[in-house]
Amino acid sequence: MDFEKAMGRLTEISAKMNSSELPLEESMKLYAEAVRLTKECREYIEKAKLQVEQLEAAE
């Protein structure tokens, strides 16, 4: 999943968890998915940051 899709899904999860009373099991599944997606997004950001630093260093 690319960064934009992961962020979009995180937004969906956040809205769902904030707007309704979900059963505990469903909440836990969504939370686990959000944790995984957050980790993926952080990795994308770190890779992008490294690429920018490498480009700046090459100037």
Side-chain angles (χ1 to χ4, degrees):
M1 181 178 299
D2 65 22
F3 180 80
E4 288 77 14
K5 286 182 183 176
M7 287 299 296
R9 180 62 182 145
L10 280 169
T11 300
E12 291 172 8
I13 291 170
S14 177
K16 190 170 187 177
M17 290 184 77
N18 286 324
S19 68
S20 65
E21 292 186 26
L22 298 172
L24 179 59
E25 187 174 323
E26 180 68 17
S27 293
M28 293 303 296
K29 286 180 184 178
L30 288 172
Y31 180 76
E33 182 181 359
V35 168
R36 181 183 56 79
L37 290 169
T38 300
K39 182 180 177 188
E40 283 182 30
C41 288
R42 284 185 182 144
E43 289 172 358
Y44 281 121
I45 291 169
E46 286 301 316
K47 287 179 185 177
K49 182 180 173 183
L50 181 59
Q51 288 177 343
V52 168
E53 289 171 355
Q54 289 172 344
L55 289 170
E56 289 177 345
E59 289 182 358

